Amino acid sequence: MSLQHRARPGDGAPPTGFPSAAVRRAGARPAALVPLALGGVLAVSVVLALTIGPADISLLQVARSAADRVAGTSPAGADAAALSSVQQAILWELRLPRLLTAAFVGAGLALSGAVMQALTRNPLADPYLLGLSSGASLGAVSVLLLGAAVVLPVAAFAGAMAALVLTLSLAAAAGSINPSRTVLAGLAVSSAASALTSFIIFFSSKGDSYREVLNWLLGSLAGSTWTSVTISAAAFLLAGIPILLSGGLLDGFSFGDNAAGALGLNVPVLRWVLLAGTAVLTGAMVSVSGSIGFVGLILPHAVRLLTGARHRVLLPAVALAGAVFLVWADTLARTVFEPREIPVGIVTALIGAPVFAVLLWRRKAQS
Amino acid sequence: MSAAGSIAAAGELRAHGLSYSAGQRVILSGIECALPGSAVTGLLGPNGAGKSSLLRLIAAVLKPTSGQVSLAGTDLRSMKRKVRAQHLAFVDQQVDVDVPLSVADAVLLGRLPYRPAYAPETTRDELIVQRSLAQVGLEGFGARRLDSLSGGERQRVHIARALAQETGVLLLDEPTNHLDLSAQAGVLDLLRGLALGGSTVVAALHDINLTAAYCDHVIVLAGGRVVASGETASTLTPGLIRSVYGVPAVRLDNPLTGRPVFAFGGRDQR
Amino acid sequence: MFSTTRYLATAGALILLAAGCAGPSQTSSPVEPPGGTAAAGYPATIDNCGTQVTFEAAPERVVTIKSTATEMLLSLGLGSTIVGSAFADGPLPDAHADARIPVLSEQLPGTEATLALEPDLVYGGWESNFSAEGAGDRASLEALGVRTYVSPAACKAEGYKPDPLTFDSIFDDITEMGRIFGVEARADLVVSQEADKLAAITPDGSGLSALWYSSGEKTPYVGAGTGAPQLLMETVGLRNVAADIDDSWSAMSWEAVAAADPDVIVLVDAAWNTAQQKVDHLTANPATAKLRAVRESRYLTVPFAGGEAGVRSVDTARSLEDQLRLLDPLDP
Ligand SMILES: Nc1ncnc2c1ncn2[C@@H]1O[C@H](COP(=O)(O)OP(=O)(O)OP(=O)(O)O)[C@@H](O)[C@H]1O
Ligand SMILES: [Mg+2]
């Protein structure tokens, strides 16, 4: 007998518009437009957020000042719209580097989360799950409080990488590396790293020096400089872009390591390279912003609702959405209680926890 | 088979002195077997006999402790991964499908070995995906989400993915799992069709009657060794079944198909 | 042992007697033991940050936590009652430079280490000193017969927290401490001396704005609208740029600081975060480098302990007044 007559499209429901071959040309899918749209949203967000803050600076003034900078002219003194030198500093030395750092950190964390969810085939995976963030925090806090003679980003990366190696070796020691073992090992490593971090803080803090560390542990973009932009942008270019482009390979992991291997992928090498890439990303981002939670966890889920699970489209969309999300979360963090500000990690957790609950609920409702 | 021209020349698969251990545990030892081209070979054996392990070794996703597997005389492990994946497709035993992929995207994965790592899929890839879905009777399912399908439909999606790989060799681990009677027959008909087109098809199966009805050859494993192999009709005997499974069996003729069929007694009390 | 307390109590009595119509024979009458005269004031119940604390007699074995507590007792001549001091913010001021105070720990001591000294009073500069991980929570210490006391200026509860802090309330705290230890006369003396010094301060009249920069590089932690920094700045005629924030100290964004562009920056100097480190940070960051106070190096310095409300506060204000006078006038 033939299988043909057994087709039951949609089990009684009409087929949900499977596009014809002509329409289904590569790149012509509606999902592929999501990254383009998000790119536009990001550009508008950065410009808008640039005009929001405790100091009153209008869009017009921003435009003027930008034009002056580009033209290399100094602002005309008599012009009412011209900015004072302190206002210019606010715009170009405080707000812009902070916004750009937020964008790169958001993109990096969201991307890391998406990649980890794919590699561990665990929807709860993110840089925290595998202990990377805790490791990076430990590295950074050691430098901050113990005064080790290493640069902060290097220490954070070393911490993230050490945590990753430890997590994967621990998972391997318990048998072959499978998703649930990896997650349990990650939990053990992150608990240990967090305990060590707390110990260092508890043991060496003096007077009010714990404040800076606390701010930093909760994740904050305050104090971002052009150096922060350089570090986060460099990490994104070196590790993020190659990861972005490897979406097709990541798709091959959808049905497990054996299926991936049978599709011609070098499973162990790819997994290590991609995880090391996320360690570079996470380490660099944690070193400029502290450990900001929930970005890596919820954004991949939220974006998947728009794009589906194909990483070729998902990864660029997730990176852009992460950037947009953190730009606005940080704008809230620095303006809602102005002139005070709160660590952006509190904002992402306040938004992230309920969103995550909704996503869980939706998943349950679907299955 | 419409794509016969593009299918890489199938040939005989051969395992030479293949052994595999996990840690101290010997799982397969000294496997010698031949899996002929243009035929469906059934891999039989009790639970834990090593069927899945053998298929994974042949698919080169596991590394043997010793021995090798060759395809038409070429050592499979000496091939580049991608080239190997253009010759040999593998559908694993249990596949978790908790991924929100669409059916078409899942099948599209089969085209991965044909693209440079960063290149997007081509229109040809899309056409092959549709053809593969049609081959397994799932046309119109492309936009459905994988996790909304029934177990049997999913199994067919995985077979379609293997078909999209356009390989001469197709390895399937229990492809009739989750399938109802007619779907089982449908899949095996499909495999037979592929074999007729020149493919080397190997399927691990638990159903002795399906094996008897559809497989040209059988290889019977027990305790990590080959206990019998050869043409189905001459190899699959009541004596073999009793010695391997401990279940008495008689061979009858199926009046509907003319193929042999087995009836089983109770499990041996020992 | 002839303690300062006893000496002063005696001296006070002598003065009072001399001022009256007592004859010379009475000057040689035996001095009553400490607490004896004050015994009339006991039991003394005090509402401290909302916790009722009852003193049956003057405490004799005190653990002090943070510099404000230690300095308060020293200036009331009660140094000999301190069996251990902990968590000092920095060195003692010059006036007490040769005081010999046993040090319990550099950091916040644990409950057991605190109890090991068998104190009858634990006197903390911050409410947070009394946590289970720290010196012990107030209720448990009280249950063990150990009284607890928090510098009232550090109270956090509504109705107790400074609203805003005033010198009157600081002086009341000194008076209250005098009552607890039965050294009211010495406390009155200290209050009147400090009040005199305070009256002699002339606020700067040029309407300068100022930032009290306590700590933090990413987000500066600054003196806000209700605490000691606000009081001190106000006293010397500085307008606090964070005066609108309803708290003693607060985080403030660099952007808000830059937008306010203060004329003067008060730097808190602590061993773990020196005034120089803050200057370095301010000049290194391209945004803060543009601030007027930074461009013109218009800094005042305060030791960390001086930023906490206490018996030292008037001296701190005087120091700010002196430093302010020495600053160059603002560039036009
Ligand atoms: N990584 C491993 N570590 C230890 N034992 C293993 C490992 N992989 C497989 N085995 C064991 O090897 C034996 C063969 O396993 P395999 O999956 O190949 O059997 P099978 O014939 O496919 O069984 P089934 O019919 O149940 O699918 C089993 O006893 C299994 O427990
Ligand atoms: Mg098996």
Side-chain angles (χ1 to χ4, degrees), chain B residues 170-185:
Chain B
L170 190 59
L171 307 169
L172 307 103
D173 199 348
E174 302 192 20
T176 51
N177 253 0
H178 299 299
L179 301 196
D180 66 32
L181 260 185
S182 88
Q184 291 183 0

mmCIF file with all atom_site columns, all heavy atoms in Angstrom, chain B residues 170-185:
data_model
loop_
_atom_site.group_PDB
_atom_site.id
_atom_site.type_symbol
_atom_site.label_atom_id
_atom_site.label_alt_id
_atom_site.label_comp_id
_atom_site.label_asym_id
_atom_site.label_entity_id
_atom_site.label_seq_id
_atom_site.pdbx_PDB_ins_code
_atom_site.Cartn_x
_atom_site.Cartn_y
_atom_site.Cartn_z
_atom_site.occupancy
_atom_site.B_iso_or_equiv
_atom_site.pdbx_formal_charge
_atom_site.auth_seq_id
_atom_site.auth_comp_id
_atom_site.auth_asym_id
_atom_site.auth_atom_id
_atom_site.pdbx_PDB_model_num
ATOM 1   N N   . LEU B 1 170 ? 20.511 4.268  4.394  1.00 0.00 ? 170 LEU B N   1
ATOM 2   C CA  . LEU B 1 170 ? 19.555 4.781  5.364  1.00 0.00 ? 170 LEU B CA  1
ATOM 3   C C   . LEU B 1 170 ? 19.549 3.842  6.568  1.00 0.00 ? 170 LEU B C   1
ATOM 4   O O   . LEU B 1 170 ? 19.259 2.654  6.431  1.00 0.00 ? 170 LEU B O   1
ATOM 5   C CB  . LEU B 1 170 ? 18.177 4.815  4.697  1.00 0.00 ? 170 LEU B CB  1
ATOM 6   C CG  . LEU B 1 170 ? 17.069 5.532  5.437  1.00 0.00 ? 170 LEU B CG  1
ATOM 7   C CD1 . LEU B 1 170 ? 17.447 6.980  5.687  1.00 0.00 ? 170 LEU B CD1 1
ATOM 8   C CD2 . LEU B 1 170 ? 15.787 5.468  4.615  1.00 0.00 ? 170 LEU B CD2 1
ATOM 9   N N   . LEU B 1 171 ? 19.906 4.378  7.731  1.00 0.00 ? 171 LEU B N   1
ATOM 10  C CA  . LEU B 1 171 ? 19.937 3.577  8.954  1.00 0.00 ? 171 LEU B CA  1
ATOM 11  C C   . LEU B 1 171 ? 18.791 4.053  9.834  1.00 0.00 ? 171 LEU B C   1
ATOM 12  O O   . LEU B 1 171 ? 18.675 5.243  10.100 1.00 0.00 ? 171 LEU B O   1
ATOM 13  C CB  . LEU B 1 171 ? 21.261 3.766  9.692  1.00 0.00 ? 171 LEU B CB  1
ATOM 14  C CG  . LEU B 1 171 ? 22.534 3.541  8.878  1.00 0.00 ? 171 LEU B CG  1
ATOM 15  C CD1 . LEU B 1 171 ? 23.751 4.029  9.662  1.00 0.00 ? 171 LEU B CD1 1
ATOM 16  C CD2 . LEU B 1 171 ? 22.687 2.066  8.546  1.00 0.00 ? 171 LEU B CD2 1
ATOM 17  N N   . LEU B 1 172 ? 17.955 3.131  10.281 1.00 0.00 ? 172 LEU B N   1
ATOM 18  C CA  . LEU B 1 172 ? 16.820 3.543  11.112 1.00 0.00 ? 172 LEU B CA  1
ATOM 19  C C   . LEU B 1 172 ? 16.739 2.661  12.344 1.00 0.00 ? 172 LEU B C   1
ATOM 20  O O   . LEU B 1 172 ? 16.766 1.432  12.249 1.00 0.00 ? 172 LEU B O   1
ATOM 21  C CB  . LEU B 1 172 ? 15.504 3.443  10.327 1.00 0.00 ? 172 LEU B CB  1
ATOM 22  C CG  . LEU B 1 172 ? 15.464 4.157  8.980  1.00 0.00 ? 172 LEU B CG  1
ATOM 23  C CD1 . LEU B 1 172 ? 15.601 3.147  7.858  1.00 0.00 ? 172 LEU B CD1 1
ATOM 24  C CD2 . LEU B 1 172 ? 14.190 4.953  8.821  1.00 0.00 ? 172 LEU B CD2 1
ATOM 25  N N   . ASP B 1 173 ? 16.624 3.297  13.498 1.00 0.00 ? 173 ASP B N   1
ATOM 26  C CA  . ASP B 1 173 ? 16.523 2.550  14.743 1.00 0.00 ? 173 ASP B CA  1
ATOM 27  C C   . ASP B 1 173 ? 15.058 2.509  15.157 1.00 0.00 ? 173 ASP B C   1
ATOM 28  O O   . ASP B 1 173 ? 14.491 3.515  15.564 1.00 0.00 ? 173 ASP B O   1
ATOM 29  C CB  . ASP B 1 173 ? 17.387 3.224  15.820 1.00 0.00 ? 173 ASP B CB  1
ATOM 30  C CG  . ASP B 1 173 ? 17.696 2.274  16.963 1.00 0.00 ? 173 ASP B CG  1
ATOM 31  O OD1 . ASP B 1 173 ? 17.067 1.190  17.024 1.00 0.00 ? 173 ASP B OD1 1
ATOM 32  O OD2 . ASP B 1 173 ? 18.575 2.615  17.786 1.00 0.00 ? 173 ASP B OD2 1
ATOM 33  N N   . GLU B 1 174 ? 14.459 1.348  15.019 1.00 0.00 ? 174 GLU B N   1
ATOM 34  C CA  . GLU B 1 174 ? 13.050 1.132  15.353 1.00 0.00 ? 174 GLU B CA  1
ATOM 35  C C   . GLU B 1 174 ? 12.128 2.170  14.718 1.00 0.00 ? 174 GLU B C   1
ATOM 36  O O   . GLU B 1 174 ? 11.422 2.902  15.413 1.00 0.00 ? 174 GLU B O   1
ATOM 37  C CB  . GLU B 1 174 ? 12.876 1.088  16.881 1.00 0.00 ? 174 GLU B CB  1
ATOM 38  C CG  . GLU B 1 174 ? 13.726 -0.014 17.484 1.00 0.00 ? 174 GLU B CG  1
ATOM 39  C CD  . GLU B 1 174 ? 13.391 -0.301 18.939 1.00 0.00 ? 174 GLU B CD  1
ATOM 40  O OE1 . GLU B 1 174 ? 12.292 0.056  19.374 1.00 0.00 ? 174 GLU B OE1 1
ATOM 41  O OE2 . GLU B 1 174 ? 14.237 -0.891 19.614 1.00 0.00 ? 174 GLU B OE2 1
ATOM 42  N N   . PRO B 1 175 ? 12.118 2.231  13.392 1.00 0.00 ? 175 PRO B N   1
ATOM 43  C CA  . PRO B 1 175 ? 11.313 3.250  12.696 1.00 0.00 ? 175 PRO B CA  1
ATOM 44  C C   . PRO B 1 175 ? 9.820  3.014  12.829 1.00 0.00 ? 175 PRO B C   1
ATOM 45  O O   . PRO B 1 175 ? 9.038  3.900  12.511 1.00 0.00 ? 175 PRO B O   1
ATOM 46  C CB  . PRO B 1 175 ? 11.748 3.108  11.234 1.00 0.00 ? 175 PRO B CB  1
ATOM 47  C CG  . PRO B 1 175 ? 12.193 1.690  11.107 1.00 0.00 ? 175 PRO B CG  1
ATOM 48  C CD  . PRO B 1 175 ? 12.800 1.332  12.441 1.00 0.00 ? 175 PRO B CD  1
ATOM 49  N N   . THR B 1 176 ? 9.408  1.804  13.281 1.00 0.00 ? 176 THR B N   1
ATOM 50  C CA  . THR B 1 176 ? 7.966  1.556  13.374 1.00 0.00 ? 176 THR B CA  1
ATOM 51  C C   . THR B 1 176 ? 7.424  1.821  14.769 1.00 0.00 ? 176 THR B C   1
ATOM 52  O O   . THR B 1 176 ? 6.248  1.615  15.035 1.00 0.00 ? 176 THR B O   1
ATOM 53  C CB  . THR B 1 176 ? 7.642  0.098  12.966 1.00 0.00 ? 176 THR B CB  1
ATOM 54  O OG1 . THR B 1 176 ? 8.504  -0.776 13.712 1.00 0.00 ? 176 THR B OG1 1
ATOM 55  C CG2 . THR B 1 176 ? 7.880  -0.111 11.489 1.00 0.00 ? 176 THR B CG2 1
ATOM 56  N N   . ASN B 1 177 ? 8.307  2.290  15.646 1.00 0.00 ? 177 ASN B N   1
ATOM 57  C CA  . ASN B 1 177 ? 7.856  2.722  16.976 1.00 0.00 ? 177 ASN B CA  1
ATOM 58  C C   . ASN B 1 177 ? 6.728  3.733  16.860 1.00 0.00 ? 177 ASN B C   1
ATOM 59  O O   . ASN B 1 177 ? 6.790  4.623  16.032 1.00 0.00 ? 177 ASN B O   1
ATOM 60  C CB  . ASN B 1 177 ? 9.019  3.431  17.698 1.00 0.00 ? 177 ASN B CB  1
ATOM 61  C CG  . ASN B 1 177 ? 9.578  2.565  18.783 1.00 0.00 ? 177 ASN B CG  1
ATOM 62  O OD1 . ASN B 1 177 ? 9.107  1.460  19.005 1.00 0.00 ? 177 ASN B OD1 1
ATOM 63  N ND2 . ASN B 1 177 ? 10.592 3.072  19.467 1.00 0.00 ? 177 ASN B ND2 1
ATOM 64  N N   . HIS B 1 178 ? 5.769  3.659  17.728 1.00 0.00 ? 178 HIS B N   1
ATOM 65  C CA  . HIS B 1 178 ? 4.679  4.632  17.787 1.00 0.00 ? 178 HIS B CA  1
ATOM 66  C C   . HIS B 1 178 ? 3.714  4.545  16.623 1.00 0.00 ? 178 HIS B C   1
ATOM 67  O O   . HIS B 1 178 ? 2.797  5.346  16.535 1.00 0.00 ? 178 HIS B O   1
ATOM 68  C CB  . HIS B 1 178 ? 5.195  6.087  17.808 1.00 0.00 ? 178 HIS B CB  1
ATOM 69  C CG  . HIS B 1 178 ? 6.054  6.412  18.973 1.00 0.00 ? 178 HIS B CG  1
ATOM 70  N ND1 . HIS B 1 178 ? 5.609  6.340  20.260 1.00 0.00 ? 178 HIS B ND1 1
ATOM 71  C CD2 . HIS B 1 178 ? 7.345  6.804  19.043 1.00 0.00 ? 178 HIS B CD2 1
ATOM 72  C CE1 . HIS B 1 178 ? 6.584  6.677  21.070 1.00 0.00 ? 178 HIS B CE1 1
ATOM 73  N NE2 . HIS B 1 178 ? 7.647  6.961  20.359 1.00 0.00 ? 178 HIS B NE2 1
ATOM 74  N N   . LEU B 1 179 ? 3.950  3.639  15.655 1.00 0.00 ? 179 LEU B N   1
ATOM 75  C CA  . LEU B 1 179 ? 3.086  3.648  14.469 1.00 0.00 ? 179 LEU B CA  1
ATOM 76  C C   . LEU B 1 179 ? 1.980  2.604  14.576 1.00 0.00 ? 179 LEU B C   1
ATOM 77  O O   . LEU B 1 179 ? 2.182  1.521  15.108 1.00 0.00 ? 179 LEU B O   1
ATOM 78  C CB  . LEU B 1 179 ? 3.921  3.389  13.216 1.00 0.00 ? 179 LEU B CB  1
ATOM 79  C CG  . LEU B 1 179 ? 5.048  4.375  12.926 1.00 0.00 ? 179 LEU B CG  1
ATOM 80  C CD1 . LEU B 1 179 ? 5.514  4.211  11.491 1.00 0.00 ? 179 LEU B CD1 1
ATOM 81  C CD2 . LEU B 1 179 ? 4.616  5.811  13.169 1.00 0.00 ? 179 LEU B CD2 1
ATOM 82  N N   . ASP B 1 180 ? 0.825  2.972  14.042 1.00 0.00 ? 180 ASP B N   1
ATOM 83  C CA  . ASP B 1 180 ? -0.259 2.000  14.009 1.00 0.00 ? 180 ASP B CA  1
ATOM 84  C C   . ASP B 1 180 ? 0.021  0.978  12.899 1.00 0.00 ? 180 ASP B C   1
ATOM 85  O O   . ASP B 1 180 ? 0.961  1.141  12.125 1.00 0.00 ? 180 ASP B O   1
ATOM 86  C CB  . ASP B 1 180 ? -1.620 2.694  13.837 1.00 0.00 ? 180 ASP B CB  1
ATOM 87  C CG  . ASP B 1 180 ? -1.763 3.375  12.494 1.00 0.00 ? 180 ASP B CG  1
ATOM 88  O OD1 . ASP B 1 180 ? -1.192 2.877  11.498 1.00 0.00 ? 180 ASP B OD1 1
ATOM 89  O OD2 . ASP B 1 180 ? -2.452 4.404  12.436 1.00 0.00 ? 180 ASP B OD2 1
ATOM 90  N N   . LEU B 1 181 ? -0.796 -0.045 12.840 1.00 0.00 ? 181 LEU B N   1
ATOM 91  C CA  . LEU B 1 181 ? -0.546 -1.150 11.912 1.00 0.00 ? 181 LEU B CA  1
ATOM 92  C C   . LEU B 1 181 ? -0.319 -0.689 10.485 1.00 0.00 ? 181 LEU B C   1
ATOM 93  O O   . LEU B 1 181 ? 0.663  -1.066 9.842  1.00 0.00 ? 181 LEU B O   1
ATOM 94  C CB  . LEU B 1 181 ? -1.758 -2.088 11.934 1.00 0.00 ? 181 LEU B CB  1
ATOM 95  C CG  . LEU B 1 181 ? -1.625 -3.359 12.768 1.00 0.00 ? 181 LEU B CG  1
ATOM 96  C CD1 . LEU B 1 181 ? -2.866 -4.225 12.566 1.00 0.00 ? 181 LEU B CD1 1
ATOM 97  C CD2 . LEU B 1 181 ? -0.378 -4.123 12.348 1.00 0.00 ? 181 LEU B CD2 1
ATOM 98  N N   . SER B 1 182 ? -1.204 0.170  10.007 1.00 0.00 ? 182 SER B N   1
ATOM 99  C CA  . SER B 1 182 ? -1.084 0.512  8.599  1.00 0.00 ? 182 SER B CA  1
ATOM 100 C C   . SER B 1 182 ? 0.073  1.468  8.374  1.00 0.00 ? 182 SER B C   1
ATOM 101 O O   . SER B 1 182 ? 0.727  1.442  7.336  1.00 0.00 ? 182 SER B O   1
ATOM 102 C CB  . SER B 1 182 ? -2.400 1.087  8.074  1.00 0.00 ? 182 SER B CB  1
ATOM 103 O OG  . SER B 1 182 ? -2.447 2.465  8.266  1.00 0.00 ? 182 SER B OG  1
ATOM 104 N N   . ALA B 1 183 ? 0.368  2.300  9.372  1.00 0.00 ? 183 ALA B N   1
ATOM 105 C CA  . ALA B 1 183 ? 1.507  3.200  9.220  1.00 0.00 ? 183 ALA B CA  1
ATOM 106 C C   . ALA B 1 183 ? 2.809  2.408  9.233  1.00 0.00 ? 183 ALA B C   1
ATOM 107 O O   . ALA B 1 183 ? 3.758  2.730  8.513  1.00 0.00 ? 183 ALA B O   1
ATOM 108 C CB  . ALA B 1 183 ? 1.514  4.246  10.329 1.00 0.00 ? 183 ALA B CB  1
ATOM 109 N N   . GLN B 1 184 ? 2.852  1.351  10.048 1.00 0.00 ? 184 GLN B N   1
ATOM 110 C CA  . GLN B 1 184 ? 4.029  0.485  10.047 1.00 0.00 ? 184 GLN B CA  1
ATOM 111 C C   . GLN B 1 184 ? 4.254  -0.073 8.648  1.00 0.00 ? 184 GLN B C   1
ATOM 112 O O   . GLN B 1 184 ? 5.356  -0.016 8.099  1.00 0.00 ? 184 GLN B O   1
ATOM 113 C CB  . GLN B 1 184 ? 3.834  -0.676 11.019 1.00 0.00 ? 184 GLN B CB  1
ATOM 114 C CG  . GLN B 1 184 ? 3.838  -0.262 12.466 1.00 0.00 ? 184 GLN B CG  1
ATOM 115 C CD  . GLN B 1 184 ? 3.710  -1.473 13.392 1.00 0.00 ? 184 GLN B CD  1
ATOM 116 O OE1 . GLN B 1 184 ? 3.612  -2.613 12.944 1.00 0.00 ? 184 GLN B OE1 1
ATOM 117 N NE2 . GLN B 1 184 ? 3.717  -1.205 14.681 1.00 0.00 ? 184 GLN B NE2 1
ATOM 118 N N   . ALA B 1 185 ? 3.166  -0.581 8.090  1.00 0.00 ? 185 ALA B N   1
ATOM 119 C CA  . ALA B 1 185 ? 3.273  -1.148 6.752  1.00 0.00 ? 185 ALA B CA  1
ATOM 120 C C   . ALA B 1 185 ? 3.687  -0.067 5.761  1.00 0.00 ? 185 ALA B C   1
ATOM 121 O O   . ALA B 1 185 ? 4.503  -0.299 4.859  1.00 0.00 ? 185 ALA B O   1
ATOM 122 C CB  . ALA B 1 185 ? 1.941  -1.760 6.338  1.00 0.00 ? 185 ALA B CB  1
#
